[in-house]
Amino acid sequence: MNEWNGIAEALRLGGWVIYPLSLLAIFALAITFDRMYVWWRYARMPRDGAVRALPDEHVLRRVDMLFDDSSMPIWRIEGQVETAASQIEREMGRGLWLLETIVTAAPLLGLLGTIVGMMHSFRLIGGDGLVSPSGVSGGVAQALVATAIGLVIALIALFAFNYFSRRVDRLMDDVETFANGRIGDLRLARERSGAAS
């Protein structure tokens, strides 16, 4: 329980900058949990390679369904695959721009809290010397708390941003590999049927 009291006291010392920092932390966590759910639900790769068993909303199944019309020309299927791939990339990367912004904004807000706290401390130092030692130390504490919280938020958002950005890149490689394999199989099947007739 003492740890929670210490955290509450640190937040109180942080000053007004803690409120926008808390908002950034909530956004970062919300985006992270949302992306985790989306990846788990729609982009988890099948272990046995059974794409047909996946739900229709899964990214590989969405690409796989483009090959259902076997009479469609290959150039048309390739165009649809490219369109679907860019749409999938957009959907899977949704919200990552905000995480990237939080990575930059959180330390800057912490720095703003540092400057405000230090200005408060220096204001208490009058022309006759030190006026209020507890006031000066409180301003320094506000400066340090705001900076520390801003850095922690930025680190969490940075790790989440890098993780999901890398996952988007890997997913697009998987989609491209899958689509190229399906297009190759389709070309081979059409060549065989053309040679047989």
Side-chain angles (χ1 to χ4, degrees):
M1 190 65 172
N2 287 338
E3 293 85 18
W4 289 110
N5 289 338
I7 292 172
E9 181 64 21
L11 292 176
R12 187 189 63 76
L13 283 174
W16 64 269
V17 174
I18 297 302
Y19 297 113
L21 283 173
S22 299
L23 193 62
L24 290 180
I26 290 168
F27 283 147
L29 289 174
I31 292 168
T32 300
F33 289 134
D34 174 64
R35 293 295 91 194
M36 286 170 56
Y37 173 75
V38 166
W39 280 94
W40 174 80
R41 179 79 172 91
Y42 302 112
R44 197 172 30 164
M45 292 301 154
R47 295 184 192 267
D48 56 0
V51 175
R52 297 267 179 194
L54 294 170
D56 287 347
E57 302 86 25
H58 193 280
V59 292
L60 288 183
R61 183 70 182 115
R62 286 169 55 186
V63 172
D64 184 56
M65 287 189 298
L66 297 173
F67 293 90
D68 288 346
D69 184 4
S70 59
S71 64
M72 190 179 301
I74 291 178
W75 61 267
R76 177 76 172 133
I77 294 173
E78 287 175 336
Q80 287 181 337
V81 167
E82 286 180 20
T83 303
S86 64
Q87 184 179 11
I88 288 168
E89 185 175 18
R90 235 183 353 266
E91 289 171 4
M92 299 310 285
R94 187 174 293 140
L96 294 185
W97 68 271
L98 187 55
L99 275 180
E100 189 176 21
T101 303
I102 290 171
V103 168
T104 306
L108 290 176
L109 273 171
L111 182 60
L112 179 63
T114 299
I115 292 169
V116 169
M118 295 307 277
M119 286 171 47
H120 177 70
S121 295
F122 290 142
R123 197 175 20 184
L124 295 177
I125 299 175
D128 299 333
L130 197 58
V131 176
S132 170
S134 64
V136 172
S137 64
V140 171
Q142 176 181 346
L144 296 176
V145 166
T147 302
I149 290 174
L151 289 174
V152 167
I153 293 168
L155 283 172
I156 291 169
L158 177 65
F159 288 135
F161 173 77
N162 285 338
Y163 174 75
F164 289 119
S165 294
R166 180 70 187 122
R167 293 266 327 247
V168 168
D169 292 342
R170 240 183 302 150
L171 177 67
M172 296 319 297
D173 289 343
D174 291 341
V175 167
E176 183 179 0
T177 301
F178 175 75
N180 286 339
R182 289 297 310 268
I183 288 171
D185 293 343
L186 187 60
R187 281 192 172 130
L188 182 62
R190 288 187 181 179
E191 283 178 16
R192 286 182 178 164
S193 69
S197 58

